[in-house]
Amino acid sequence: MSFYDTLQQYKDFFSANAFRDVTAAEVRRAVLDDDPRSERLFALLSPAAADQIELMAQRAHEITLRQFGRVIQLYTPMYLSNFCENQCEYCGFNATNRLPRRTMTLEEVEREAAYIASTGLEHILILTGDARKRAPVSYIRDAVQVLRKHFSSISVEVYALTEAEYAELAAEGVDGLTIYQETYDEAVYDRVHRSGPKKDFRFRLEAPERAARSGMRSVNIGALLGLSDWRVEAFRLGLHARYLQDTFPDVEVGASVPRLRPHEGDFRGDEKISDRDFVQIILAMRLFLPRLGLTLSTRESSELREHLVPLGITKMSAGSTTEVGGHTLATKTDRSAPQFRIADERDVEAIKAMLAAKGYQPVLKDWMPI
Amino acid sequence: MTDLFRIGGRELRSRLLLGTGKFPSHDVMKKAVEASGADIVTVALRRVDATSATDNILDFIPQKCVLMTNTSGARNADEAVRIARLARASGAGDWVKIEVIRDNKYLLPENLETLKATEILVKEGFIVLPYMSPDLSMARRMADAGAAAVMPLGAPIGSNRGLRTRELVGIMVREIKVPVIVDAGLGSPSQACECLEMGCAAVLVNTAVAIAEDPVQMAAAFREAVIAGRRACLAGLPVRGQVANASSPLTGFLRNE
């Protein structure tokens, strides 16, 4: 049984349990309980829970402190290639967007890696678009070999792979996978992914399971908020994370809830998610799954990121660029268009200083090849 | 009062061991270690960044302390062994706390893999302190394999719930010949004191100190609690009695003849 089957079981869940029917008493119980029943997550995501957001925040802070301490792990993304065959309405790399495309040569990867490593970062997340011909698994493997010299932990956020391919990367030294389902609503998924390999909902949904079986140490999942009803999306994301924790107890499971950002193209999404909604989702996830890793990217503003530090976040990106070779490729014309515009442009030193000022230790290294 | 205890050929004064994770900064950690009086501190090799000029955690461990690397992140015996060897190769010494965890939800240890790693690493000359779920048979096997001490958990890591495993740990204290050190779950100095009172050789604390409002003061408080607990143990705690009962319903038939 994969998570796809679990998702089917919850198909009729929403008609029977409207979020608006949740009472204040149910929310209070959900905040103070600590069991992983799905009804509890449901209550924590309800409008009634929004009225008790301070209580949620206090409990989330206390749980996060005990589980993870006063530390935040830092990493940065590195875009290897922005070629893409997909037509995802919300993404700057959309195949129909006319923009400069490139795949870094291994020499360029080396130069970019050396620069990023010089900022002190030890954890790198490498990304590509979805174009097997332009950035095949063999290329990713070669890039990983280059990166191993510079970083102690390498994660990938690339197109969905087979289990054998994940195992290949794991053997090469990749220890984590990040892959976002974007939306757990199959109909919406079909609509916003107009064409391309990513259109296969189930192949993508089951990618984290394949990675977990292949020996990856960590898997990070996510929903792109703004494509569909955020409460329903966050609920299904929580179920997915719980499924992975239950099925693969020796894998570290993490989640992200990126919000739609401005990008090339004009898609803006159907749903607006306010900062208050966003914070409620983070808190609900923390209360529901105390050991869940929660990653916050530079899509969010520096101010919001600072406020979220004590509330449940465990990992943050720093010194980010969403362009291929964004740090070292010589001129603007050699670079490429970004996947989306980042909101927090501070470098690693500035993020470290911010964390220190808040009484948090920035952790640059939390694994090594063994 | 000189009351030393020995592990791995070392005579130790302090019965408080300290973990180094979760602190707000390396500086605060260093001050807390100093205030705790700990002779042994444990550091996760995964966190050691030897290439960093400013952020290498090992630079913040006081010279007088024994560095005990832990194998945090190991999912089986093989990974624990490899991490221990990496630590030794990097100059971190022979002391290793084996931590094998295949359960990311509760972070409870995997005793069988921990035993396997203990057997291998003892043969390679490491001073091995396995972190374990309290289980008498397992503890015996670990001690027989050459573990320098056994470290049962009091409650899940970071739970601050205290010595929830008291009955099982109590049996281990009576039966196991190597030092029994309660590791994980202790949330307050009184709980650490309780462990020492009942005869545990020492305690290992991390979260309760690291996330306290004032970690340095909390480290000092644990230091004093451990000293008090040990002294009470040596003094011989009086038996906890019920209220005296004047009549003797069971032996009243006996008459002085």
Side-chain angles (χ1 to χ4, degrees):
Chain A
M1 263 218 352
S2 84
F3 180 63
Y4 187 77
D5 304 299
T6 308
L7 205 51
Q8 300 308 310
Q9 288 167 12
Y10 278 89
K11 262 209 154 137
D12 301 323
F13 191 82
F14 297 99
S15 50
N17 293 276
F19 281 106
R20 65 173 188 284
D21 292 342
V22 175
T23 65
E26 285 168 335
V27 170
R28 212 178 153 73
R29 199 156 54 236
V31 174
L32 299 175
D33 275 355
D34 58 2
D35 67 80
R37 283 177 310 119
S38 45
E39 288 77 6
R40 207 176 139 239
L41 176 61
F42 194 85
L44 294 169
L45 290 166
S46 69
D51 297 337
Q52 300 190 48
I53 201 157
E54 179 60 28
L55 179 69
M56 288 175 73
Q58 287 180 14
R59 181 102 211 278
H61 172 60
E62 178 266 320
I63 291 171
T64 309
L65 263 193
R66 278 195 291 103
Q67 293 288 346
F68 299 96
R70 292 188 198 275
V71 300
I72 297 280
Q73 210 243 297
L74 298 182
Y75 73 100
T76 208
M78 178 173 178
Y79 284 71
L80 297 177
S81 171
N82 62 350
F83 285 102
C84 198
E85 295 166 11
N86 290 326
Q87 293 183 29
C88 312
E89 289 189 338
Y90 50 81
C91 179
F93 289 175
N94 188 319
T96 60
N97 288 346
R98 295 172 61 87
L99 46 93
R101 307 264 181 179
R102 63 177 299 151
T103 299
M104 270 196 277
T105 65
L106 293 180
E107 290 72 33
E108 288 167 343
V109 171
E110 171 84 48
R111 209 184 321 155
E112 188 83 352
Y115 172 81
I116 295 171
S118 75
T119 66
L121 291 171
E122 288 280 350
H123 287 229
I124 192 96
L125 172 68
I126 54 177
L127 298 94
T128 67
D130 194 341
R132 277 179 176 265
K133 289 194 197 78
R134 300 294 194 150
V137 174
S138 58
Y139 164 78
I140 298 170
R141 226 175 42 214
D142 291 344
V144 167
Q145 279 190 1
V146 172
L147 295 167
R148 273 170 60 174
K149 289 181 283 181
H150 297 278
F151 301 101
S152 59
S153 168
I154 303 169
S155 297
V156 292
E157 184 170 352
V158 301
Y159 47 89
L161 304 180
T162 64
E163 188 175 328
E165 288 170 329
Y166 284 130
E168 218 179 297
L169 292 181
E172 206 62 59
V174 173
D175 52 72
L177 170 74
T178 293
I179 191 161
Y180 298 159
Q181 189 60 26
E182 323 295 9
T183 172
Y184 288 91
D185 184 317
E186 211 166 342
V188 174
Y189 187 94
D190 196 57
R191 197 178 74 231
V192 298
H193 300 99
R194 287 195 192 161
S195 72
K198 192 169 174 177
K199 209 167 172 55
D200 188 337
F201 179 82
R202 187 162 179 170
F203 188 68
R204 192 171 183 88
L205 186 73
E206 293 172 354
E209 299 164 41
R210 293 194 296 275
R213 280 195 297 269
S214 79
M216 296 265 180
R217 307 183 60 84
S218 68
V219 294
N220 290 282
I221 57 174
L224 182 57
L225 298 180
L227 298 177
S228 155
D229 184 299
W230 66 262
R231 295 181 206 277
V232 180
E233 291 288 20
F235 180 72
R236 287 171 170 155
L237 176 67
L239 294 184
H240 194 186
R242 185 182 70 180
Y243 170 88
L244 292 170
Q245 280 193 343
D246 288 347
T247 315
F248 306 102
D250 61 347
V251 170
E252 282 179 27
V253 179
S256 289
V257 279
R259 286 191 283 187
L260 267 176
R261 290 283 306 156
H263 59 93
E264 296 287 327
D266 52 13
F267 181 78
R268 290 293 174 266
D270 300 334
E271 276 273 315
K272 290 279 168 287
I273 294 99
S274 69
D275 285 357
R276 179 171 278 268
D277 302 335
F278 185 71
V279 170
Q280 187 182 347
I281 295 169
I282 300 275
L283 298 175
M285 291 293 168
R286 171 56 62 239
L287 295 176
F288 181 54
L289 300 173
R291 287 290 309 163
L292 182 71
L294 285 170
T295 304
L296 189 61
S297 80
T298 51
R299 284 168 182 266
E300 300 300 337
S301 71
S302 49
E303 193 194 351
L304 185 64
R305 279 178 19 122
E306 284 182 32
H307 286 308
L308 282 171
V309 165
L311 298 188
I313 299 302
T314 58
K315 265 170 96 171
M316 286 174 113
S317 51
S320 298
T321 167
T322 62
E323 293 171 59
V324 177
H327 293 294
T328 57
L329 290 194
T331 63
K332 244 339 195 201
T333 51
D334 277 344
R335 306 218 302 236
S336 63
Q339 189 188 23
F340 57 88
R341 257 172 261 151
I342 61 178
D344 184 350
E345 297 187 321
R346 289 175 297 180
D347 65 13
V348 178
E349 284 308 311
I351 298 290
K352 281 167 71 176
M354 176 274 284
L355 291 173
K358 290 190 78 75
Y360 277 72
Q361 179 190 159
V363 168
L364 301 182
K365 176 175 175 288
D366 194 29
W367 190 239
M368 69 260 141
I370 59 169
Chain B
M1 183 178 70
T2 312
D3 172 38
L4 304 172
F5 81 114
R6 295 178 70 85
I7 299 181
R10 287 281 291 250
E11 289 199 331
L12 304 160
R13 278 173 193 284
S14 171
R15 292 172 180 269
L16 173 61
L17 289 69
L18 210 63
T20 55
K22 298 184 173 175
F23 280 89
S25 70
H26 290 336
D27 275 323
V28 173
M29 181 271 287
K30 184 182 184 189
K31 291 191 182 104
V33 170
E34 286 165 353
S36 75
D39 290 322
I40 302 176
V41 294
T42 184
V43 176
L45 187 70
R46 65 193 289 179
R47 287 274 167 92
V48 176
D49 188 358
T51 62
S52 173
T54 52
D55 287 329
N56 185 357
I57 189 169
L58 296 185
D59 295 338
F60 295 81
I61 307 295
Q63 287 292 328
K64 76 165 199 74
C65 292
V66 174
L67 173 66
M68 174 167 72
T69 312
N70 70 62
T71 63
S72 165
R75 297 174 297 183
N76 52 46
D78 181 52
E79 290 185 350
V81 166
R82 278 187 278 157
I83 292 171
R85 288 176 184 156
L86 273 176
R88 175 189 261 174
S90 71
D94 291 333
W95 287 64
V96 60
K97 168 185 163 181
I98 301 182
E99 198 176 312
V100 179
I101 288 174
R102 297 185 66 89
D103 161 58
N104 269 301
K105 250 192 266 173
Y106 305 98
L107 299 178
L108 292 173
E110 220 287 9
N111 278 353
L112 188 56
E113 293 292 313
T114 304
L115 172 65
K116 284 187 203 163
T118 302
E119 289 168 344
I120 295 168
L121 291 171
V122 167
K123 283 191 187 127
E124 294 184 10
F126 284 90
I127 293 155
V128 180
L129 290 85
Y131 168 56
M132 65 176 308
S133 281
D135 177 277
L136 181 62
S137 301
M138 260 305 165
R140 277 197 181 118
R141 282 169 178 260
M142 288 172 184
D144 289 347
V150 289
M151 303 207 289
L153 59 91
I157 294 177
S159 68
N160 290 348
R161 290 165 65 84
L163 189 59
R164 295 292 167 137
T165 55
R166 186 182 166 99
E167 296 297 321
L168 297 170
V169 169
I171 291 169
M172 287 173 61
V173 167
R174 282 197 296 278
E175 302 299 328
I176 300 296
K177 302 291 180 258
V178 299
V180 173
I181 301 171
V182 172
D183 178 1
L186 302 181
S188 65
S190 58
Q191 294 166 354
C193 184
E194 177 192 356
C195 294
L196 274 293
E197 280 180 1
M198 66 182 273
C200 295
V203 293
L204 194 157
V205 177
N206 187 350
T207 306
V209 172
I211 72 172
E213 287 296 318
D214 185 339
V216 179
Q217 283 303 313
M218 190 58 81
F222 268 97
R223 172 191 193 144
E224 289 163 13
V226 164
I227 291 169
R230 177 63 184 173
R231 190 167 282 186
C233 177
L234 293 177
L237 282 173
V239 175
R240 279 181 213 184
Q242 304 294 322
V243 175
N245 195 334
S247 66
S248 308
L250 296 181
T251 54
F253 64 92
L254 297 172
R255 299 276 178 264
N256 288 326
E257 294 176 7

